[in-house]
């Protein structure tokens, strides 16, 4: 039978082992995260992201279609390796609707709010344009109005590329 001192020693050893395991896991995670490709950082405090469904004009929520999102240091980190080339992802960042388009060699990020009456635009991959389903507004791939009633372009957000990371300033 263990004495109180032995029990205390065992407890301390187990605690140290557990802390070491947690610390190693965090370090490993950080290293993997640093080197993993196509991560996107979005500066915001709240939000979600999903693969945009052009038919329903909504982010898909089924079958793990949502992109993994992590918050870190005041940024959102979205793994865009699950976003195929040419496709888009819809996000709500600090209550701002945002649409990210994977253009193969870069990502372009726009405010998804139509400048006409505020419906959400969707990306049309085959036409390489944004379409507003409410009144037929059409924007080109640069977000400029090409048809319909919208009075102005949709806002594009600046991105900062650092290695494999893209940081987006939504403010
Ligand atoms: Fe988009 Fe009217 S709200 S065209």
């Amino acid at each position: 039978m263990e004495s109180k001192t032995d029990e205390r020693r065992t407890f301390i050893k187990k605690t140290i082992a557990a802390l070491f395991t947690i610390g190693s896991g965090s370090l490993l995670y950080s290293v993997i995260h640093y080197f993993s490709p196509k991560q996107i950082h979005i500066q915001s405090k709240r939000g979600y992201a999903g693969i945009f469904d052009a038919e329903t004009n909504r982010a898909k929520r089924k079958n793990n279609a949502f992109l993994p999102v992590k918050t870190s240091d005041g940024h959102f980190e979205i793994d865009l390796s699950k976003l195929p080339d040419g496709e888009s992802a819809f996000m709500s960042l600090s209550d701002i609707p945002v649409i990210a388009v994977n253009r193969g060699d870069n990502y372009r990020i726009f405010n998804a709010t139509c400048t006409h009456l505020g419906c959400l635009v969707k990306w049309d991959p085959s036409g390489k344009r944004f379409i507003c389903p409410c009144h037929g507004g059409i924007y080109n791939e640069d977000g400029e109005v090409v048809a319909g009633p919208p009075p102005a372009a949709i806002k594009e957000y600046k991105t900062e590329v650092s290695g494999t990371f893209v940081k987006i300033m939504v403010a």
Side-chain angles (χ1 to χ4, degrees), residues 9-156:
R9 246 184 232 135
T10 305
F11 173 76
I12 289 170
K13 276 183 192 169
K14 283 183 179 172
T15 303
I16 289 171
L19 289 174
F20 180 76
T21 303
I22 291 168
S24 302
S26 299
L27 180 63
L28 183 62
Y29 171 82
S30 299
V31 170
I32 289 170
H33 175 256
Y34 182 79
F35 289 107
S36 62
K38 287 191 176 180
Q39 296 269 324
I40 193 160
H41 289 215
I42 296 174
Q43 186 160 1
S44 185
K45 291 212 164 31
R46 295 181 298 152
Y48 65 88
I51 304 284
F52 197 76
D53 183 340
E55 284 178 19
T56 62
N57 203 26
R58 292 178 161 210
K60 289 179 185 171
R61 290 171 187 267
K62 292 178 184 166
N63 306 325
N64 293 326
F66 260 77
L67 301 170
V69 180
K70 292 173 288 187
T71 54
S72 156
D73 200 20
H75 293 74
F76 275 107
E77 298 173 18
I78 302 172
D79 182 356
L80 284 186
S81 61
K82 290 185 169 46
L83 180 62
D85 285 359
E87 300 221 349
S88 63
F90 178 80
M91 295 159 237
S92 175
L93 305 170
S94 292
D95 297 329
I96 299 171
V98 169
I99 188 165
V101 180
N102 182 349
R103 300 306 314 275
D105 53 352
N106 68 353
Y107 300 106
R108 298 193 68 179
I109 319 292
F110 294 85
N111 187 313
T113 309
C114 178
T115 57
H116 180 220
L117 293 176
C119 291
L120 296 181
V121 300
K122 62 183 179 182
W123 172 247
D124 167 23
S126 56
K128 295 193 172 88
R129 59 190 183 165
F130 297 93
I131 296 174
C132 178
C134 291
H135 311 103
I138 298 175
Y139 304 83
N140 65 18
E141 62 186 329
D142 296 320
E144 296 159 344
V145 181
V146 291
I154 49 174
K155 177 180 178 173
E156 182 170 11

